[in-house]
């Protein structure tokens, strides 16, 4: 059953809104930004990125670390705690709570050590957004700021 759920998730992620795909998949984007994790640290590097509002951003995550991670971009930071809680029950979908995907700008598949994953989405209205790893226990420290520029 888990394998079926993952397949459905990837298929659903190929739609126009939030794309959660392996790096081999193509999605049109104006900008690609690469973030990484390394060692066993619960940190994204860099911790601040920016792109212009209204443009298509491909957010690529290279997992150079020793732990699995994902990258999830909530539409609003207000939902972060609820999403992090729901992620504990979302192992079958790479710790992305698909029941709340309407609250997400984008999300990646779960990246095992050595893997690269990405998500492509349209940058929202100018302001500051958060990208977070929702692997259980990571969301308190594994955060970054996505700035949407006018
Ligand atoms: Cu993580």
């Amino acid at each position: 059953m888990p394998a079926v759920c993952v397949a459905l998730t990837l298929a659903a992620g190929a739609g126009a809104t939030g794309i959660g795909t392996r790096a081999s998949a193509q999605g049109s984007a104006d900008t690609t930004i690469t973030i990484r994790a390394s060692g066993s640290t619960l940190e994204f590097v860099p911790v601040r990125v920016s792109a212009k509002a209204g443009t298509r951003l491909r957010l690529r995550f290279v997992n150079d670390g020793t732990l699995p991670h994902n990258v999830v971009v909530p539409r609003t930071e207000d939902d972060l705690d609820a999403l992090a809680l729901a992620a504990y029950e979302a192992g079958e979908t790479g710790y992305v709570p698909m029941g709340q995907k309407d609250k997400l700008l984008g999300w990646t598949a779960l990246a095992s050590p050595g893997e690269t994953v990405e998500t492509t989405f349209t940058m929202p209205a100018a302001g500051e957004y958060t990208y977070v790893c929702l692997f259980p226990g990571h969301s308190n420290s594994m955060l970054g700021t996505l700035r949407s520029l006018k």
Side-chain angles (χ1 to χ4, degrees):
M1 203 55 195
V4 172
C5 291
V6 169
L8 287 173
T9 300
L10 291 175
T17 50
I19 301 178
T21 60
R22 299 283 162 181
S24 57
Q26 297 297 314
S28 77
D30 301 309
T31 312
T32 298
I33 292 176
T34 300
I35 59 177
R36 295 170 187 274
S38 59
S40 58
T41 58
L42 298 183
E43 292 173 353
F44 286 125
V45 177
V47 74
R48 271 185 87 84
V49 301
S50 61
K52 201 169 179 344
T55 61
R56 295 283 293 170
L57 172 65
R58 178 185 293 123
L59 196 55
R60 182 171 285 162
F61 173 63
V62 178
N63 190 357
D64 285 333
T66 59
L67 302 168
H69 302 291
N70 63 22
V71 184
V72 176
V73 189
R75 291 184 186 279
T76 166
E77 200 180 345
D78 295 345
D79 291 329
L80 198 51
D81 289 346
L83 288 165
L85 194 61
Y88 276 83
E89 306 293 324
E92 290 185 350
T93 52
Y95 300 100
V96 178
M98 298 307 291
Q100 300 186 53
K101 69 177 179 182
D102 55 321
K103 294 178 178 172
L104 307 176
L105 288 167
W107 65 89
T108 70
L110 189 67
S112 295
E115 283 192 317
T116 295
V117 293
E118 63 185 32
T119 177
T120 303
F121 55 91
T122 300
M123 286 294 288
E128 291 201 339
Y129 300 83
T130 299
Y131 50 96
V132 61
C133 173
L134 291 186
F135 188 87
H138 292 195
S139 67
N140 284 337
S141 60
M142 202 162 186
L143 298 155
T145 299
L146 169 63
R147 189 147 178 246
S148 185
L149 307 168
K150 281 182 189 174

mmCIF file of all heavy atoms in Angstrom, residues 42 68-70 133 135 138 142, ligand 1:
data_model
loop_
_atom_site.group_PDB
_atom_site.id
_atom_site.type_symbol
_atom_site.label_atom_id
_atom_site.label_comp_id
_atom_site.label_asym_id
_atom_site.label_seq_id
_atom_site.Cartn_x
_atom_site.Cartn_y
_atom_site.Cartn_z
ATOM 1 N N LEU A 42 20.695 19.817 11.058
ATOM 2 C CA LEU A 42 19.324 20.112 10.648
ATOM 3 C C LEU A 42 19.277 21.567 10.205
ATOM 4 O O LEU A 42 18.681 22.432 10.843
ATOM 5 C CB LEU A 42 18.355 19.849 11.803
ATOM 6 C CG LEU A 42 18.316 18.391 12.295
ATOM 7 C CD1 LEU A 42 17.274 18.227 13.388
ATOM 8 C CD2 LEU A 42 18.046 17.428 11.146
ATOM 9 N N PRO A 68 17.386 11.763 5.933
ATOM 10 C CA PRO A 68 16.396 12.120 4.907
ATOM 11 C C PRO A 68 15.765 13.482 5.213
ATOM 12 O O PRO A 68 15.599 13.840 6.382
ATOM 13 C CB PRO A 68 15.351 11.000 5.006
ATOM 14 C CG PRO A 68 15.533 10.384 6.338
ATOM 15 C CD PRO A 68 16.916 10.701 6.830
ATOM 16 N N HIS A 69 15.454 14.218 4.162
ATOM 17 C CA HIS A 69 14.824 15.534 4.318
ATOM 18 C C HIS A 69 13.844 15.765 3.169
ATOM 19 O O HIS A 69 13.993 15.186 2.099
ATOM 20 C CB HIS A 69 15.858 16.667 4.250
ATOM 21 C CG HIS A 69 16.953 16.583 5.249
ATOM 22 N ND1 HIS A 69 16.762 16.777 6.597
ATOM 23 C CD2 HIS A 69 18.269 16.306 5.093
ATOM 24 C CE1 HIS A 69 17.919 16.651 7.226
ATOM 25 N NE2 HIS A 69 18.845 16.362 6.342
ATOM 26 N N ASN A 70 12.918 16.679 3.397
ATOM 27 C CA ASN A 70 12.117 17.202 2.300
ATOM 28 C C ASN A 70 12.139 18.717 2.405
ATOM 29 O O ASN A 70 12.731 19.279 3.342
ATOM 30 C CB ASN A 70 10.677 16.638 2.303
ATOM 31 C CG ASN A 70 9.878 17.009 3.538
ATOM 32 O OD1 ASN A 70 10.187 17.988 4.222
ATOM 33 N ND2 ASN A 70 8.849 16.237 3.847
ATOM 34 N N CYS A 133 11.718 21.686 6.462
ATOM 35 C CA CYS A 133 11.751 20.235 6.329
ATOM 36 C C CYS A 133 10.741 19.669 7.313
ATOM 37 O O CYS A 133 10.806 19.943 8.515
ATOM 38 C CB CYS A 133 13.139 19.685 6.640
ATOM 39 S SG CYS A 133 13.161 17.879 6.695
ATOM 40 N N PHE A 135 10.285 16.405 7.837
ATOM 41 C CA PHE A 135 10.626 15.090 8.386
ATOM 42 C C PHE A 135 10.484 15.201 9.904
ATOM 43 O O PHE A 135 10.928 16.186 10.502
ATOM 44 C CB PHE A 135 12.066 14.703 8.006
ATOM 45 C CG PHE A 135 12.412 13.283 8.370
ATOM 46 C CD1 PHE A 135 12.129 12.246 7.497
ATOM 47 C CD2 PHE A 135 12.988 12.987 9.598
ATOM 48 C CE1 PHE A 135 12.425 10.935 7.845
ATOM 49 C CE2 PHE A 135 13.289 11.675 9.947
ATOM 50 C CZ PHE A 135 12.999 10.646 9.071
ATOM 51 N N HIS A 138 12.379 17.621 12.550
ATOM 52 C CA HIS A 138 13.286 18.571 11.893
ATOM 53 C C HIS A 138 12.742 19.996 11.806
ATOM 54 O O HIS A 138 13.503 20.940 11.609
ATOM 55 C CB HIS A 138 13.604 18.104 10.465
ATOM 56 C CG HIS A 138 14.442 16.854 10.415
ATOM 57 N ND1 HIS A 138 15.090 16.441 9.274
ATOM 58 C CD2 HIS A 138 14.723 15.941 11.378
ATOM 59 C CE1 HIS A 138 15.743 15.300 9.530
ATOM 60 N NE2 HIS A 138 15.531 14.974 10.790
ATOM 61 N N MET A 142 15.062 23.215 11.021
ATOM 62 C CA MET A 142 15.392 23.129 9.597
ATOM 63 C C MET A 142 14.447 23.999 8.793
ATOM 64 O O MET A 142 13.508 23.531 8.149
ATOM 65 C CB MET A 142 15.330 21.673 9.145
ATOM 66 C CG MET A 142 16.135 21.417 7.900
ATOM 67 S SD MET A 142 16.474 19.678 7.698
ATOM 68 C CE MET A 142 17.562 19.798 6.281
HETATM 69 CU CU1 LIG B 1 15.072 17.363 7.507
#
